[in-house]
Structure formats: structure tokens, C-alpha cells
């Protein structure tokens, strides 16, 4: 059974702070990882993808992947109230290219 | 504009009345999926399709059917809906090169 686990939260940070979201996965065959942001009642929106060990930065977002520890994280710098949403971690594995999602971490950025 | 569309966006129906939720993408992607999202259970894959006429079960396929007669369309069929299929449904389309999955706007289904 492939599993992706996220710290369930909720997580609250003050505006301007760094939000840290974490995810672990059980399938060592997972090849790629994705972070989605989902506002209440809306569809998931892809914000970051990461395919190799290390860090990947895109604007205020940094994704980190450590395959040895089976750990993925997302850092959001200078958090804004508009970042308040549920963040979903997903791992891709297998020839069928199936995505397995974590249950999500709800983030609230307080003004 | 690259997008995944779903219709209808909202649907209230009764037990046993067959329904179809349509999904269409304009990105020429081969891989498409259907998910349902329920509180506390997250996103679970129902069915996926790797190409035209190639479909396979995901994690929760019971009570659902799909078809893939052309690349752009991937409808989800509920032959005899039941109340436990009340959920938020998402269609998704995956890019070939980077396996990035893009979601449609969602269909909120209520089965009475």
C-alpha cells in the first residue's frame, strides 16, 4: 500500500513568517513529488514539482526532497493571508503514473 | 487557454438514476484520471486512462465506469448512483514530459 503522510495541522503562522509543510512517503519507487494548493471548494492547483534530491526554489516557494529519508517538504517564505489554503503533497510512482495524495495540511496565515 | 473542463459543476440526483459527468481537456494529454474527494479521506483515484481505449481501475472504482473513445474526453458514468457516492469529483489530465497533473474545476454530486 503506497502511502503519503502529511502533518495534518492545522498550521497557523503570522503574516511574513515562514510556513513549513512536511510530507513522508512509503514507496521507495516514487519518482516525482508535487505540492498542490487547494482553496476551500476549489480544485487543487499545482504549485511545485520536484524530481531529484535537494532544493527547488520558485519565488516564495521552496520544495525539498530527501529520497533517503523519504521526506518532502514545502517552505513558504514571507507568508501572506492569500496563502491560507490546504496544501496537498503527492507522490508519483509506477508505470501507470499514479499519483498518491496525502490528506493535506490546512495552513492559515494570520494578518 | 489550456484547461480541463467538467460538466455539470453541481448535480443533485436520486438513488438509481444513471448519470454521466463529462470531462474534456485541450492539452492533447494522453493520461487522464478521475478522483473523488471526501472530508478526512483526501483525494482518491477512481479510474485512470493512459490513452484512447486504455482504462484501468484506481483505488475506489466500485460503482463507477469510464470510457475513453477520444483523447480529449474522459466521461465518468454512475450507472446506479447511491448516497455513498455523494462527493466532490475531479477530473485531471497529466502532461507527458513532467507528469504534472492538472485538475478540472470539480463536480459536486449529491445523491439522495
Amino acid at each position: 500500500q503506497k502511502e503519503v503522510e502529511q502533518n495534518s495541522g492545522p498550521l497557523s503562522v503570522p503574516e511574513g513568517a515562514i510556513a513549513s509543510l512536511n510530507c513522508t512517503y512509503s514507496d521507495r519507487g516514487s519518482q516525482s513529488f508535487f505540492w498542490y494548493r487547494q482553496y476551500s471548494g476549489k480544485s487543487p492547483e499545482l504549485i511545485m514539482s520536484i524530481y531529484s534530491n535537494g532544493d527547488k526554489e520558485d519565488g516564495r516557494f521552496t520544495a525539498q526532497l530527501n529520497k533517503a529519508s523519504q521526506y518532502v517538504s514545502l517552505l513558504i517564505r514571507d507568508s501572506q493571508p492569500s496563502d491560507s489554503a490546504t496544501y496537498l503533497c503527492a507522490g508519483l510512482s509506477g508505470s501507470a503514473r499514479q499519483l498518491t495524495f496525502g490528506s493535506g495540511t490546512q495552513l492559515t496565515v494570520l494578518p | 487557454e489550456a484547461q480541463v473542463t467538467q460538466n455539470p459543476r453541481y448535480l443533485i440526483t436520486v438513488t438509481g438514476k444513471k448519470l454521466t459527468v463529462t470531462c474534456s481537456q485541450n492539452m492533447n494529454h494522453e493520461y487522464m484520471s478521475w478522483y473523488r474527494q471526501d472530508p478526512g479521506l483526501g483525494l482518491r483515484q477512481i479510474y485512470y486512462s493512459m490513452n484512447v481505449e486504455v482504462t484501468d481501475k484506481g483505488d475506489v472504482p466500485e460503482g463507477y465506469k469510464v470510457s475513453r473513445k477520444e483523447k480529449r474526453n474522459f466521461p465518468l458514468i454512475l450507472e446506479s448512483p447511491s448516497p455513498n457516492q455523494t462527493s466532490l469529483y475531479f477530473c485531471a489530465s497529466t502532461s507527458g514530459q513532467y507528469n504534472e497533473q492538472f485538475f478540472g474545476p470539480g463536480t459536486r454530486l449529491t445523491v439522495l
Side-chain angles (χ1 to χ4, degrees):
Chain A
Q1 180 79 6
K2 303 167 192 171
E3 290 186 349
V4 174
E5 303 277 348
Q6 294 184 244
N7 45 342
S8 57
L11 175 67
S12 294
V13 299
E15 185 173 356
I18 296 175
S20 177
L21 304 164
N22 305 311
C23 172
T24 59
Y25 60 94
S26 62
D27 182 11
R28 286 197 172 273
S30 295
Q31 305 143 2
S32 310
F33 297 87
F34 306 89
W35 284 98
Y36 287 82
R37 177 176 63 198
Q38 187 176 26
Y39 295 112
S40 181
K42 302 296 186 182
S43 59
E45 173 192 9
L46 180 66
I47 55 171
M48 288 290 285
S49 54
I50 187 165
Y51 310 103
S52 55
N53 277 329
D55 296 359
K56 179 182 177 183
E57 187 174 318
D58 184 0
R60 296 187 295 111
F61 299 99
T62 299
Q64 300 172 317
L65 174 59
N66 183 326
K67 290 189 177 181
S69 300
Q70 296 178 244
Y71 177 86
V72 192
S73 67
L74 178 70
L75 299 177
I76 306 174
R77 290 181 300 283
D78 188 24
S79 296
Q80 301 297 308
S82 59
D83 294 326
S84 298
T86 297
Y87 289 80
L88 303 170
C89 173
L92 179 78
S93 59
S95 58
R97 292 190 284 163
Q98 283 185 277
L99 270 185
T100 300
F101 284 85
S103 56
T105 298
Q106 186 176 344
L107 171 67
T108 300
V109 180
L110 303 169
Chain B
E1 179 191 355
Q3 60 181 351
V4 180
T5 57
Q6 292 179 231
N7 282 292
R9 295 289 313 279
Y10 303 91
L11 179 60
I12 300 174
T13 189
V14 296
T15 299
K17 186 175 181 182
K18 181 180 179 180
L19 66 93
T20 299
V21 184
T22 65
C23 173
S24 183
Q25 51 96 2
N26 63 0
M27 296 170 279
N28 202 37
H29 290 163
E30 293 180 346
Y31 190 101
M32 298 182 73
S33 306
W34 275 103
Y35 293 87
R36 61 179 289 175
Q37 188 173 38
D38 303 288
L41 296 177
L43 274 165
R44 295 179 293 167
Q45 192 181 52
I46 303 169
Y47 267 94
Y48 64 93
S49 170
M50 297 184 74
N51 212 329
V52 175
E53 302 292 3
V54 181
T55 63
D56 207 346
K57 297 176 181 178
D59 298 320
V60 287
E62 292 76 21
Y64 304 95
K65 287 176 57 178
V66 293
S67 70
R68 188 89 181 276
K69 292 182 169 36
E70 49 191 340
K71 186 181 277 192
R72 64 182 292 123
N73 295 325
F74 188 42
L76 178 70
I77 303 154
L78 285 71
E79 295 266 4
S80 183
S82 62
N84 65 10
Q85 293 179 298
T86 293
S87 187
L88 180 57
Y89 291 87
F90 291 105
C91 178
S93 170
T94 303
S95 69
Q97 185 174 9
Y98 297 110
N99 293 309
E100 294 176 341
Q101 200 156 111
F102 301 96
F103 285 82
T107 295
R108 187 167 292 281
L109 172 66
T110 301
V111 183
L112 302 174

